[in-house]
Amino acid sequence: MKKYFKYTLFALALFSAASCDKNLNLFPYNALETTTAFQTPVDFENAAKGAYQGMVQSTSYFGGDWILVPDILADNLLTASAGRGTGLTFHNWIYNSNTTTSIYADGYRVIRRANAILENIGKLSDGAVKDNARAEALAIRALAHFDMVRYFGRAYTQAADGDLGIPYVTTTADASPARETVKSNYDKIVADFVEAEKGIKLSNGVGRLNKGAVQGLLARAYLYRGEWQNCVDASTRCLTTSPSVTSLANFPAVWKDASNDGVLFKVLITDKDGVQVGVNYSQTGASGVRPEFIADFDFFKKYDSTDVRKKTYFLTSAFSGATYNNIAKYFGRATGNANVDDVKVIRGAEVILSRAESNARLNKNVEALADLNALRAQRYAGFVAGTETGQALLDAILLQRRLELAFEGHRFFDLKRLNLPVIRSTAGDKSDGTGVNNAMKTLPAGDPRFQLPLPQQEVNANPNIVQNPGY
């Protein structure tokens, strides 16, 4: 097949023998052969595992770029002069249509696998097993499309009716899909999540999409649409299902994969996968921690000394005669390979902050403050409840969102949905703010570079694909 999108949907859908159940390797689960591949409930379980495995990519999705790039593009990070210059294309906003191939392809790999399940779901007998398999595939499809439209389309709240998003692919057979509008994308994302919530199990566990995770992701979609009451309602259902926002005592253990307190859904990564998320931030050796990216000094100072996140997310240490504020969030587990961690896709802390923000925008200050204080009480030792109202309350919520979700793939998209510019500090890369700052400083709100370019290979091969303006 010559068309690039066919390659994305079909050839990339082959399941790896090294990382998936052996039964998955009998057939590629694409339009060429699904009759034999989908026969029993076990086959559908294996297919779901294959979809999740598609999220574990060393170059992109949750094993790489999709966690790293939204902070590189924004104002939480600086490149370290001691590093190898990794990521400068994104950090300096000089990406082009040859830069985003993996981000695009990896998303559609996952979508294709979810669609293969949905196309064969009628082979299962009616009941809870079928309902859960269908709901899980719908949620996976919605999540991947949501992640991609955040990269390639305008923010929903700034998009005109005709502004293009991405192709919303619902079949394994369409090799030349056209881009739909951003608003159409979000309509379908929400519809898939709403339908998924009806049948998905809570008992799927944190390594798969479960009821609490789907409710939380639906709340995220409503937040991005600016539908505040819908966000409050979905968040409340989520926090009723899974109420923890991670306790102060358990918070450090979550980032060592020693606790799942407050984790709604995470992508499981083992040493055998060979994916080291943390190596994108730094490498640890006999000479110490060699940083690739360090915390922007002005951002680092926003963490109070009593904040458990400061000692959990960062490590100040020396390398080659200089001291840096390293990103320690993905240093790895207590045992096993360095820089290998499960990637937390959604946590209860995000959901309670989404509800707080939505209530604040609805002028429900009492409810918003209660959620904000509930989160802060589990992050600051000796916390005394705040009393903010109005704009000060909203600002405090947005600050906590930035502090809480740093390096989890949110910051650039938050600036984008809020129609704010990226404004980086002039501080240097060393731990005291001195040193080198080689970053571009400002990306104005609404700049075309807030939408990444679609891969040129796809534009060339698919006559129904239109490139984003400015590329």
Side-chain angles (χ1 to χ4, degrees), residues 146-213:
F146 188 17
D147 287 338
M148 292 181 67
V149 74
R150 290 192 292 170
Y151 267 125
F152 295 107
R154 289 178 62 86
Y156 182 93
T157 49
Q158 279 87 56
D161 289 345
D163 282 340
L164 293 178
I166 58 169
Y168 203 95
V169 179
T170 59
T171 173
T172 60
D174 188 356
S176 301
R179 296 180 71 180
E180 301 179 23
T181 66
V182 169
K183 293 187 176 181
S184 172
N185 286 163
Y186 272 86
D187 287 345
K188 292 180 179 181
I189 289 163
V190 167
D192 275 352
F193 278 140
V194 167
E195 191 64 22
E197 185 184 354
K198 298 175 183 177
I200 203 158
K201 295 178 182 178
L202 176 63
S203 59
N204 285 351
V206 298
R208 295 171 63 173
L209 285 164
N210 55 69
K211 188 171 289 291

Side-chain angles (χ1 to χ4, degrees), residues 1 5-14 28-32 112 171-175:
M1 297 181 184
F5 199 83
K6 287 183 179 179
Y7 179 77
T8 300
L9 287 181
F10 299 133
L12 286 179
L14 296 172
Y29 282 1
N30 60 27
L32 301 177
R112 202 227 56 76
T171 173
T172 60
D174 188 356

Side-chain angles (χ1 to χ4, degrees), residues 315-454:
L315 174 69
T316 300
S317 64
F319 180 82
S320 190
T323 303
Y324 301 95
N325 295 317
N326 298 294
I327 312 304
K329 201 168 190 175
Y330 300 99
F331 271 2
R333 304 166 183 133
T335 60
N337 294 343
N339 301 125
V340 176
D341 301 86
D342 298 334
V343 174
K344 290 73 182 173
V345 178
I346 186 162
R347 301 187 286 116
E350 177 192 341
V351 179
I352 202 170
L353 287 167
S354 293
R355 187 169 71 176
E357 180 181 339
S358 296
N359 272 324
R361 295 186 186 281
L362 292 168
N363 296 316
K364 296 180 179 179
N365 286 346
V366 173
E367 295 89 339
L369 181 61
D371 279 344
L372 176 61
N373 281 336
L375 187 280
R376 292 189 295 195
Q378 300 303 327
R379 298 296 179 267
Y380 296 93
F383 175 70
V384 176
T387 59
E388 298 97 331
T389 61
Q391 186 62 46
L393 175 59
L394 180 59
D395 290 345
I397 292 166
L398 293 175
L399 172 61
Q400 287 303 313
R401 184 177 176 88
R402 184 180 181 189
L403 298 176
E404 180 73 21
L405 301 178
F407 322 120
E408 294 180 51
H410 292 272
R411 181 59 178 167
F412 184 69
F413 301 133
D414 276 338
L415 292 172
K416 185 173 176 176
R417 72 177 176 88
L418 296 169
N419 199 28
L420 294 174
V422 178
I423 301 176
R424 295 169 178 153
S425 77
T426 58
D429 61 344
K430 295 181 182 179
S431 62
D432 61 356
T434 63
V436 177
N437 182 324
N438 61 0
M440 299 288 287
K441 299 298 184 293
T442 304
L443 185 66
D447 189 284
R449 287 170 291 179
F450 270 97
Q451 290 69 249
L452 270 60
L454 277 70

